[in-house]
Amino acid sequence: MLRWWSTPRIFKFFLLRLRLAATYQAVDRYTVLFWAGLVGILGGLSSVLFRRLLDLMAFVLSGRHGSIVEIFSGLPPWQRLATPIVGGLVAGGVLYFGGRWHSRRSSSTDFMEAVVLGEGTLSFRSSIVKILSATFSVTSGGSIGREGPMVQLSSLLASMVGRTRKWSVAQRRLILACGASAGIAAAYNAPIAGALFVAEIVVGSIAMETFGPLIFSSVLATQTVRFLADSDPLYVIPPFHLQSGLELFYYLALGLLAGLVAPWFLRALRGSEKLFTKTCLPAYLRLALGGLVVGVLALRYPEVCGNGYSVVTGILQEQWLWSSLVVLLLLKVTATSASFGSGAVGGVFTPTLFVGASVGYLFGHACEGLGLGGLPEPGALALTGMGMVLAATTHAPLMAIIMIFEMTLDYQLILPLMLGCVLAHFTALGFESGSIYSASLKRKGADYAQRQLALLKVGGLMKSDPARVRPDAPFNQIAKHFVLHTYQYLYVVNEQGIYLGAVGLQDIKQYLGNSFLDNLIVAQDLLTDGPPIIHYSASLEEALEKFSHYTGERLPVVSDGPSPRLLGSLGKTDLLLALAERVPAAEGQFADQTKKG
């Protein structure tokens, strides 16, 4: 009776497997795309469910349906004051007492830290605590965005996927970055901007090895949201048109203004954070104090509550008087600073868009008051102002340009938006080199150098426990390995684990279909030198040199010394990801040295 691997059906499957292997060498890359797509779908599902949870929580707390501003507008004064205080107290209590429940593992609680500085994993318990705290902050009127917990939740699901796979640190970081990009894309219905947000701000590279999976994840996340919820643009605006080339001068002036305003907005946020820290209050009292500031402001202006989405929509529809908007802008910045500085968990992405829309709208009315001619419409200036302030605060102008376009689907303003965003970015750099997210990436600066040193060696990137057999392994065992797995080489080691060589997938083709060879041929008979080996302590530059002369996807990693034991394997994709991460790090070190000099 023929063995299972030598039946005609299995034989045909094996030949197909050989043809696919010959055509597609980069099997690992397709695997990454599959998992990136799965993470994108999970991110989209989690975003839809989280939005419904927020709506339910808001109804439970207030007994009303609608946006946060609509809910607060209908509340009596005492509830406007009390709701943010109680919400801050509960949200802070969740952080305070949840901190005793958090995981003691070394995994991070911030997705940016986990992608750039950490091991590519998030602490499950700490993430749940942060998401739950953010739920109370957002639904009780905190002046903070809901995109923060949405991204945290999507990143947590991606981290859980990464934990189930035996991936290297670089691969876990990439899949976690895919989760973050899925969360941003789902929150703003902007797949390209979601991928660019993570690529520009978090990863610091738009190399295709990283950007491809990010796009894959973002698109599927967005499509999931559109299928389950809504496919309309985030902001519905009247059509705008560029009437003449002279209007570009106004957009350039607005870009300059946005570049001047953004650093002061960042300093207000950071200054508030330092001020609240000096109080030395526990988290629940600190967040309650921040809620008190929001509640007092909401007594007269309920529009300061929430992330500012409804107000931005009104600005784009030109429904606000400039005098009222000036006051609201100052109060909104104060409320956002209070929520952010007190430690409320949430995002500042949407509040930043509020500041940009207000600055653009007020700039248009100021120019009109001066009697200047050929002005763009105030709504158009508000729309481009959103992108300009976003570019100046994040130092990611490309992401800001695409974000505004995807949120509005208005192509007419792409040209002025591009000019203004670039000018705002470079203007802001002259006053504030750090972005709105810089603080998150500095929290683990001490550990960063150690992790970078580890990644400078092959041992920090290798994948352990590669497929291996003994020299006396029979042919049927070898064939079974190749049928069930996607690798191109099966490593051969002796009883002491010393690397002897490899059996290639292509090398066994001539023996297929001969059942009598089942136990006659062993691994020793098929042994070849295989791919070039690389030592555990070798540098990444040495590994890159090895791959430059080898077309395969993986290299066997062996121990140092005269008796090379097989320790693992190094993937080309992991190497390229690690090298891509080192480029922005080197640029940052160069910038620091330039400032010191």
Side-chain angles (χ1 to χ4, degrees):
M1 182 176 181
L2 295 177
R3 296 279 185 176
W4 67 271
W5 56 268
S6 58
T7 62
R9 181 173 297 178
I10 296 299
F11 176 67
K12 292 180 181 179
F13 174 79
F14 204 103
L15 291 179
L16 176 62
R17 165 83 172 81
L18 286 170
R19 294 190 185 99
L20 290 175
T23 306
Y24 302 105
Q25 295 292 331
V27 177
D28 287 347
R29 297 175 185 175
Y30 294 99
T31 304
V32 169
L33 288 181
F34 169 80
W35 289 107
L38 177 62
V39 164
I41 295 174
L42 292 175
L45 286 172
S46 65
S47 297
V48 173
L49 293 175
F50 188 74
R51 289 176 184 176
R52 294 179 180 175
L53 174 63
L54 291 179
D55 293 339
L56 178 62
M57 288 284 293
F59 176 77
V60 170
L61 292 175
S62 64
R64 298 172 180 268
H65 290 290
S67 68
I68 296 296
V69 173
E70 292 172 343
I71 291 173
F72 270 73
S73 298
L75 294 177
W78 71 269
Q79 275 189 277
R80 292 187 191 180
L81 176 64
T83 301
I85 298 175
V86 174
L89 189 65
V90 176
V94 170
L95 291 177
Y96 181 80
F97 295 103
R100 303 178 180 182
W101 179 63
H102 71 81
S103 174
R104 295 184 179 180
R105 296 180 180 179
S106 59
S107 53
S108 176
T109 61
D110 186 281
F111 78 92
M112 291 189 183
E113 294 175 356
V115 172
V116 180
L117 311 173
E119 302 297 328
T121 57
L122 289 177
S123 169
F124 176 80
R125 294 181 179 180
S126 297
S127 296
I128 293 298
V129 168
K130 291 178 67 174
I131 294 169
L132 184 59
S133 175
T135 302
F136 286 103
S137 294
V138 171
T139 54
S140 62
S143 182
I144 204 159
R146 65 184 183 181
E147 74 277 357
M150 292 172 69
V151 175
Q152 184 76 24
L153 179 56
S154 180
S155 301
L156 175 61
L157 294 174
S159 175
M160 294 172 65
V161 170
R163 287 177 184 272
T164 63
R165 312 294 300 173
K166 293 182 179 180
W167 282 337
S168 64
V169 171
Q171 287 177 315
R172 291 199 302 271
R173 286 179 175 178
L174 177 59
I175 207 66
L176 181 61
C178 289
S181 104
I184 289 290
Y188 292 100
N189 200 10
I192 304 176
L196 282 173
F197 173 87
V198 177
E200 278 194 285
I201 298 175
V202 183
V203 178
S205 170
I206 56 173
M208 189 51 61
E209 286 77 15
T210 56
F211 193 58
L214 295 178
I215 284 287
F216 214 74
S217 179
S218 295
V219 169
L220 289 181
T222 305
Q223 193 58 41
T224 301
V225 173
R226 290 178 179 178
F227 177 76
L228 296 175
D230 193 4
S231 60
D232 294 330
L234 188 63
Y235 293 102
V236 180
I237 58 174
F240 295 122
H241 301 282
L242 188 65
Q243 301 298 334
S244 68
L246 295 178
E247 292 184 5
L248 292 178
F249 289 102
Y250 290 104
Y251 290 108
L252 288 173
L254 178 58
L256 181 63
L257 177 62
L260 296 174
V261 169
W264 289 105
F265 177 57
L266 292 178
R267 290 170 185 175
L269 295 179
R270 292 169 183 166
S272 176
E273 190 174 25
K274 292 179 181 178
L275 188 62
F276 274 92
T277 302
K278 289 181 179 179
T279 62
C280 298
L281 294 173
Y284 52 88
L285 293 180
R286 196 168 63 246
L287 266 70
L289 180 59
L292 174 62
V293 175
V294 175
V296 169
L297 298 178
L299 288 174
R300 179 67 178 85
Y301 289 90
E303 293 85 1
V304 302
C305 298
N307 59 10
Y309 170 78
S310 59
V311 179
V312 170
T313 302
I315 293 173
L316 296 178
Q317 298 289 338
E318 302 183 23
Q319 298 173 356
W320 280 83
L321 297 175
W322 72 267
S323 55
S324 299
L325 189 58
V326 169
V327 177
L328 181 59
L329 174 60
L330 295 176
L331 296 181
K332 182 64 177 177
V333 171
T334 303
T336 302
S337 299
S339 295
F340 177 84
S342 65
V345 179
V348 291
F349 206 96
T350 310
T352 301
L353 296 178
F354 175 93
V355 173
S358 301
V359 169
Y361 192 77
L362 294 173
F363 171 79
H365 280 280
C367 292
E368 185 178 0
L370 294 174
L372 301 179
L375 275 170
E377 298 178 34
L381 291 169
L383 180 62
T384 53
M386 292 165 61
M388 295 174 191
V389 173
L390 185 62
T393 54
T394 61
H395 294 321
L398 180 58
M399 180 275 299
I401 294 168
I402 299 299
M403 174 69 77
I404 300 302
F405 168 68
E406 288 191 295
M407 288 195 302
T408 60
L409 297 182
D410 189 338
Y411 183 75
Q412 294 296 321
L413 291 179
I414 284 293
L415 292 181
L417 186 63
M418 292 171 66
L419 291 177
C421 285
V422 171
L423 182 59
H425 164 66
F426 283 110
T427 302
L429 278 178
F431 296 90
E432 189 69 48
S433 60
S435 73
I436 200 170
Y437 299 105
S438 296
S440 295
L441 300 180
K442 291 180 179 179
R443 293 173 188 165
K444 291 189 177 180
D447 296 334
Y448 180 61
Q450 296 179 356
R451 290 193 175 97
Q452 282 296 101
L453 288 175
L455 287 179
L456 290 176
K457 304 299 181 182
V458 167
L461 288 178
M462 76 170 190
K463 182 178 180 181
S464 58
D465 297 327
R468 65 186 77 188
V469 294
R470 296 287 177 81
D472 57 352
F475 184 75
N476 64 341
Q477 181 180 344
I478 297 171
K480 182 178 178 180
H481 270 286
F482 281 120
V483 170
L484 297 179
H485 302 283
T486 59
Y487 40 70
Q488 307 301 309
Y489 282 96
L490 184 60
Y491 303 136
V492 180
V493 297
N494 61 17
E495 294 181 356
Q496 290 75 36
I498 304 300
Y499 179 76
L500 302 178
V503 176
L505 177 62
Q506 298 291 339
D507 297 330
I508 68 172
K509 185 188 302 184
Q510 58 182 315
Y511 301 107
L512 293 176
N514 297 322
S515 59
F516 65 90
L517 296 178
D518 186 355
N519 293 305
L520 293 180
I521 293 182
V522 295
Q524 181 68 43
D525 302 323
L526 304 171
L527 190 63
T528 64
D529 291 337
I533 64 172
I534 188 163
H535 289 90
Y536 182 85
S537 61
S539 66
L540 301 191
E541 284 73 14
E542 292 179 61
L544 186 62
E545 175 66 20
K546 292 273 188 179
F547 273 117
S548 67
H549 301 289
Y550 175 63
T551 59
E553 279 295 308
R554 306 199 72 84
L555 296 177
V557 179
V558 299
S559 62
D560 301 325
S563 301
R565 293 183 297 104
L566 181 65
L567 300 178
S569 63
L570 175 67
K572 183 186 295 184
T573 302
D574 293 341
L575 175 63
L576 294 177
L577 288 175
L579 291 174
E581 290 172 359
R582 289 179 59 193
V583 173
E587 292 175 349
Q589 293 173 1
F590 176 77
D592 292 340
Q593 292 174 359
T594 303
K595 290 181 180 180
K596 292 177 181 178

